[in-house]
Amino acid sequence: MKRARLGKLLGTLALALAGGALPAWGKSGWDELNMPRGVTNVSTRIYALHMMAFWVCVGIAAVVFGVMIWSLVFHRKSRGAVPDISLTHSTKVEIVWTIVPVLILVSMAIPAARLLVRINNNTDSQLSIRVTGFQWGWRYQYVGSNVSVISKLSESSTDASMMHSGISPTSVPHYLLSVDHPIVVPVGEKIRLLITSIDVIHSWWVPDLGVKRDAIPGFINQASFTIAPDKTGTYRGQCTELCGRGHAYMPIVVHAVSPAAFQAWLKQQSALDKEAAAGAPATAVTRS
Amino acid sequence: MAESHDIAVHAEHDHKPHGWRRWVFATNHKDIGTMYLIAAGTMFLIGGLAAMAIRAQLFKSGMKLFDPAMFNSLTTMHGLIMIFGAIMPSWVGLANWMIPMQIGAPDMALPRLNNLSFWILPFAFTLMIASFFVPGGAVAGGWTMYPPLMQQFGDSFPMLIFAIHLMGISSILGAINIVVTIMNLRAPGMSLLRMPLFVWTWLITAYLLIAVMPVLAGAVTMQLTDHFFGTSFFNAAGGGDPVLFLHVFWFFGHPEVYILILPAFGVISEIIPTFSRKPLFGYEAMVYATASIAFLSFIVWGHHMFTVGMPVAAQMFFMLSTMLIAVPTGVKVFNWTATMWRGSLSFEPPMLFAIAFLFLFSIGGFSGLMLALVPSDYQYHGTYFVVAHFHYVLVPGAVFAIFGAVYYWLPKWCGRMYDMRLAKWHFWLSVIFVNVLFFPQHFLGLAGMPRRIPDYAPQFTDWNMVSSIGGFIFGASQVLFPYIVWKCVRSGKPVEANSPWDGAHGLEWELPSPAPYHSWTTPPSAAVLAHGAEH
Ligand code: HEM
Ligand SMILES: [Cu+2]
Ligand SMILES: [Cu+2]
């Protein structure tokens, strides 16, 4: 049977490829298969919605492909199948296969709509950060303080990404996913982002936070997230709207720390910024 | 069959100009159709080379074949060339060949317009490709051409816009010709609801083209005046609105994706009944499903912009309208499945491509459905998951349907049969490696790889390598196709019967093979019509 042969071929091919790329095994590139569950309530709910939609699709595929494969196997001319030419329409089945999909779709749309409303509720935040995209990096301003962070691709990644660098990306920690100045946010608090851009459209995305919003010149978009209190750590993301030659080179790195550690960081940062402003105005301009 | 015999005799009296005049001054629907297909094939090759370059650059993390700006030009031009240069002209070429033959007409209604709409294209394509070689290189803002990024490119920017104007004019003229032909030149007795589905889907596609190509032209012209004449349509600093462009572009863009796929639905609806030896299940439902897809395609554009910050109500509306499209699309797939059900199936190359279409287009439909759920789309948007989605609907969808159509009708066009064994090789290589190429891209997108990037973090290397290897083999296998066609036209085994396919029905199969230069110089008689439409 052709399908079996196809399966075998694919299997062999996968094996051959795995053999060819053996050193990559263990780096766990192969099990990068699915959306991360993430660390916010929203991101976990998006993950659940995604998996629900996936299994619904698998279910529909099993039925529809099953019928197709049945025909391919049993209704073939070489098996002496005689066509049933009277089978040209049936109002009954046609109604069924219109109504049933509608019901399935409604059952998917309801949780999606609920979550959509939830995600777009940006009220009651405890901290606001202004995020400004530029070619190519991000600037973060902590509203209500003088702290401002300019975040660009880390030096080691920048060096390695140069045309004739000769530096292997695996020797660089978090190649293309690390920045010089990560932003720091507290866990357990609702954080609202006010996202804009000064030049072209960018998009701020951190998969683990379940946030993706476009940074558009002339607009201020909102997005918010609350990291689960036990999920301190580092979360990485990238720009997801083509913004020119540096599009692949403006990652996002978020350090999630305890609220106390965050306050300490903010204070220290604010003092640093004041010092810089007093001591060297020129660098202050470029930094903030 | 007396009628056919008369036509065969008549065919020998064809006068056609010889040499270059036959082509430059072409007014014959078959000659023009052939030129369209050759042009499309050439563009498919160029767009394919760009794709190979992209897959080479993405072979592993840290690969540095191209400068990032050049890489962006490659992805941009790949998209534009494939959509406007390869798929759309292929469909117009097939329409030219088949519509007069299928509705019992001698030719297209407006042959000189037909000549014009074809001959605009080489100029448009030349302009588009030449933009690679001007200072600053080709436009690199993606095929979606979003401002303000689009405003940052050099001489290639106006060149691309003029090329789009030209291609738009060509499409509109071609579409008008198709509508006029179908409305006016049907043989007596060929009522609308007796038309073959390829004709139906093309009729609806032609209306879509007439409706949205001017919208695209308007949108890019506004960018042009923003750039050269100081207007601020999309320039926030001047009081304009970059998001306006996205709305206008996708108001064109979503119907556009149906322009690419509706004729494919038509082709599949021709091929499956033939090789199932059974009439199409639910003919009328198919027509209405196509019409409702076309209508819905005008009210779903916002699903490309869920992350731009539309009001929740608008996002909700676009989510629901998009999900609604899955219903008529499902009806089509179910009808094709029911056509095969209790048929008598055989697996000649056109049928193989049609079956692959059924399975793989459906996979693209499933990922489309997942993308329609806004919260999930927040994660998928702008990643390789979207790239996988639209390649599933466009490559094993539209492109496989084009291959199927050529393998189906080529024996009629040239009166010769192609090498079936080679065509099956072409099929199996294509169907296996298209999956090796695109399936892993779902994983990459979900794992967090953005689209349109020339380099990526090392953990994405493994699946990218698989995808690139699939891409190289898929690409290389396509060389078989022009070879098979060329060999068939030159030295294929002559087909004596009107139809090489025992299950085929339709007026085109009532004509002798090869089809006479002027298809139906006298309208087919009622008897021929009845025979053609039998069952
Ligand atoms: C069941 C039917 C379909 C649904 C529900 C659907 C849904 C979607 C959605 C929601 C997106 C936006 C994804 C994003 O950027 O976040 C999308 C993108 C896309 N779809 Fe579909 N789609 C369907 C069928 C098709 C078909 C038939 C085609 C073409 C033949 C197509 C071509 C595309 C293309 C080209 C894009 C990407 C455009 C770009 O960003 O460059 N889709 N689709
Ligand atoms: Cu970007
Ligand atoms: Cu769309």
Side-chain angles (χ1 to χ4, degrees):
Chain A
M1 218 183 76
K2 293 226 163 99
R3 303 248 136 229
R5 216 164 66 200
L6 190 147
K8 228 191 244 160
L9 252 166
L10 278 176
T12 329
L13 184 92
L15 273 181
L17 289 175
L22 210 58
W25 270 110
K27 290 238 161 63
S28 83
W30 295 109
D31 42 63
E32 297 267 338
L33 297 174
N34 203 353
M35 186 188 284
R37 275 200 179 77
V39 293
T40 65
N41 175 287
V42 162
S43 71
T44 8
R45 285 177 65 185
I46 292 179
Y47 175 82
L49 181 70
H50 155 72
M51 289 316 287
M52 185 270 278
F54 172 73
W55 287 115
V56 168
C57 290
V58 170
I60 302 172
V63 175
V64 178
F65 291 177
V67 177
M68 287 179 191
I69 291 170
W70 184 277
S71 287
L72 294 182
V73 174
F74 295 106
H75 302 150
R76 45 170 74 205
K77 192 180 171 204
S78 56
R79 281 190 159 214
V82 180
D84 177 359
I85 54 175
S86 65
L87 196 64
T88 58
H89 84 264
S90 151
T91 316
K92 222 186 285 162
V93 284
E94 294 187 70
I95 289 175
V96 169
W97 71 40
T98 312
I99 302 289
V100 172
V102 170
L103 296 179
I104 297 175
L105 291 172
V106 169
S107 71
M108 292 165 87
I110 290 171
R114 283 219 182 100
L115 185 52
L116 173 64
V117 172
R118 160 71 210 271
I119 294 176
N120 284 277
N121 174 1
N122 296 305
T123 55
D124 301 326
S125 60
Q126 284 133 291
L127 171 69
S128 294
I129 304 176
R130 230 186 124 122
V131 181
T132 309
F134 60 90
Q135 287 174 317
W136 289 278
W138 299 95
R139 176 185 173 184
Y140 302 92
Q141 289 158 293
Y142 287 74
V143 176
S145 83
N146 64 340
V147 173
S148 149
V149 177
I150 290 188
S151 191
K152 290 191 185 172
L153 186 67
S154 68
E155 212 165 306
S156 57
S157 283
T158 308
D159 290 345
S161 72
M162 290 297 159
M163 205 60 185
H164 301 288
S165 72
I167 303 170
S168 155
T170 45
S171 71
V172 179
H174 300 289
Y175 176 61
L176 296 186
L177 292 176
S178 59
V179 296
D180 48 3
H181 303 293
I183 57 163
V184 177
V185 298
V187 296
E189 289 180 18
K190 183 161 179 180
I191 296 159
R192 183 173 61 140
L193 304 177
L194 299 163
I195 305 172
T196 188
S197 161
I198 53 161
D199 39 48
V200 302
I201 305 178
H202 306 266
S203 191
W204 195 90
W205 181 37
V206 178
D208 281 315
L209 305 184
V211 174
K212 181 182 289 144
R213 263 293 179 282
D214 293 357
I216 306 171
F219 283 78
I220 297 178
N221 270 331
Q222 301 191 44
S224 45
F225 60 89
T226 313
I227 299 175
D230 59 331
K231 297 289 186 190
T232 53
T234 304
Y235 305 108
R236 295 165 198 280
Q238 284 180 271
C239 174
T240 43
E241 184 57 56
L242 178 59
C243 55
R245 120 174 252 288
H247 170 51
Y249 311 95
M250 50 182 292
I252 294 145
V253 179
V254 177
H255 279 321
V257 299
S258 71
F262 170 71
Q263 288 306 333
W265 176 83
L266 202 64
K267 215 175 259 160
Q268 180 201 359
Q269 206 63 24
S270 156
L272 273 179
D273 277 10
K274 273 199 195 111
E275 220 170 85
T283 50
V285 171
T286 50
R287 274 218 53 200
S288 56
Chain B
M1 232 179 298
E3 284 89 342
S4 307
H5 184 70
D6 288 347
I7 290 157
V9 171
H10 182 83
E12 278 154 30
H13 296 284
D14 291 339
H15 324 278
K16 49 188 162 203
H18 288 281
W20 60 272
R21 280 165 209 278
R22 172 172 172 195
W23 304 103
V24 173
F25 302 135
T27 49
N28 178 276
H29 73 103
K30 298 192 177 70
D31 286 350
I32 293 176
T34 304
M35 290 195 292
Y36 262 110
L37 291 174
I38 291 172
T42 312
M43 294 302 275
F44 189 51
L45 182 76
I46 298 172
L49 289 174
M52 295 299 104
I54 292 168
R55 280 322 316 172
Q57 168 68 25
L58 294 176
F59 190 72
K60 61 180 187 153
S61 171
M63 195 82 169
K64 293 177 191 98
L65 295 177
F66 302 103
D67 177 84
M70 176 64 181
F71 178 84
N72 290 344
S73 296
L74 283 170
T75 49
T76 304
M77 297 308 277
H78 163 72
L80 289 165
I81 288 174
M82 286 302 194
I83 289 176
F84 294 105
I87 299 185
M88 288 170 72
S90 296
W91 288 133
V92 183
L94 286 165
N96 258 295
W97 260 101
M98 297 318 301
I99 287 176
M101 281 160 55
Q102 289 193 313
I103 63 174
D107 204 307
M108 296 294 281
L110 309 166
R112 283 175 215 283
L113 193 75
N114 207 4
N115 175 292
L116 179 63
S117 56
F118 171 76
W119 278 109
I120 289 174
L121 283 184
F123 295 94
F125 294 164
T126 308
L127 202 54
M128 187 159 73
I129 291 166
S131 75
F132 257 113
F133 306 102
V134 298
V139 161
W143 83 280
T144 47
M145 303 179 282
Y146 287 0
L149 180 62
M150 182 70 175
Q151 298 285 330
Q152 297 182 344
F153 303 108
D155 295 347
S156 55
F157 166 80
M159 289 171 80
L160 175 64
I161 288 177
F162 290 143
I164 288 175
H165 285 154
L166 290 175
M167 292 185 292
I169 293 171
S170 160
S171 292
I172 293 168
L173 298 182
I176 290 174
N177 203 351
I178 287 168
V179 171
V180 174
T181 305
I182 296 174
M183 287 309 187
N184 293 290
L185 296 191
R186 275 174 288 127
M190 170 75 71
S191 62
L192 284 176
L193 279 177
R194 288 177 78 175
M195 294 196 313
L197 263 157
F198 181 66
V199 179
W200 254 117
T201 52
W202 238 118
L203 180 63
I204 293 169
T205 304
Y207 278 110
L208 288 182
L209 277 167
I210 294 169
V212 300
M213 292 313 285
V215 176
L216 174 67
V220 296
T221 307
M222 283 148 90
Q223 289 229 35
L224 197 72
T225 63
D226 271 8
H227 195 83
F228 292 102
F229 304 111
T231 57
S232 291
F233 292 111
F234 309 127
N235 173 12
D241 177 354
V243 177
L244 173 64
F245 180 85
L246 275 66
H247 282 289
V248 180
F249 180 85
W250 286 115
F251 184 81
F252 146 81
H254 193 86
E256 168 68 17
V257 308
Y258 282 99
I259 288 166
L260 302 173
I261 203 72
L262 290 185
F265 290 169
V267 166
I268 301 302
S269 305
E270 307 279 327
I271 293 176
I272 287 185
T274 295
F275 298 96
S276 303
R277 295 169 180 77
K278 235 184 96 200
L280 183 68
F281 189 92
Y283 169 89
E284 288 193 20
M286 287 301 233
V287 173
Y288 299 136
T290 312
S292 37
I293 291 175
F295 169 74
L296 288 172
S297 77
F298 283 105
I299 56 164
V300 300
W301 78 89
H303 67 216
H304 296 273
M305 325 169 36
F306 285 139
T307 60
V308 305
M310 288 183 292
V312 179
Q315 299 187 51
M316 198 81 82
F317 171 79
F318 286 121
M319 172 171 85
L320 297 176
S321 59
T322 302
M323 294 179 82
L324 210 52
I325 276 207
V327 176
T329 312
V331 166
K332 305 208 74 129
V333 173
F334 302 146
N335 278 324
W336 290 320
T337 309
T339 306
M340 298 199 301
W341 186 253
R342 308 227 321 251
S344 172
L345 276 61
S346 60
F347 303 98
E348 286 83 352
M351 183 62 164
L352 290 174
F353 277 103
I355 292 169
F357 175 100
L358 281 192
F359 283 91
L360 302 178
F361 175 80
S362 301
I363 292 180
F366 290 136
S367 57
L369 188 55
M370 295 171 73
L371 285 159
L373 301 174
V374 185
S376 309
D377 183 75
Y378 289 160
Q379 295 282 40
Y380 308 137
H381 177 71
T383 71
Y384 261 84
F385 191 82
V386 175
V387 177
H389 158 68
F390 66 75
H391 281 97
Y392 263 88
V393 283
L394 289 174
V395 182
V399 174
F400 275 23
I402 292 167
F403 289 151
V406 172
Y407 284 132
Y408 186 49
W409 283 310
L410 183 61
K412 168 60 50 185
W413 297 343
C414 64
R416 294 171 186 276
M417 185 45 93
Y418 48 86
D419 183 334
M420 288 259 189
R421 222 174 52 96
L422 270 186
K424 286 186 180 174
W425 268 100
H426 176 217
F427 169 74
W428 284 107
L429 288 169
S430 297
V431 77
I432 291 169
F433 290 100
V434 84
N435 284 294
V436 178
L437 166 57
F438 293 121
F439 207 81
Q441 297 184 356
H442 292 111
F443 306 150
L444 287 166
L446 294 175
M449 182 175 161
R451 65 191 279 210
R452 297 170 165 166
I453 54 172
D455 198 0
Y456 48 80
Q459 66 263 34
F460 301 131
T461 294
D462 297 328
W463 290 116
N464 269 299
M465 258 185 204
V466 175
S467 179
S468 287
I469 292 171
F472 298 145
I473 305 180
F474 178 81
S477 325
Q478 301 320 311
V479 175
L480 281 172
F481 183 64
Y483 174 70
I484 292 166
V485 173
W486 183 76
K487 198 175 132 195
C488 170
V489 174
R490 295 295 300 265
S491 57
K493 213 171 118 252
V495 174
E496 303 291 344
N498 281 357
S499 166
W501 319 118
D502 59 301
H505 290 273
L507 279 182
E508 73 268 36
W509 306 110
E510 301 299 312
L511 288 167
S513 301
Y517 196 58
H518 301 289
S519 297
W520 292 96
T521 38
T522 48
S525 67
V528 173
L529 200 66
H531 188 262
E534 194 171 280
H535 335 302

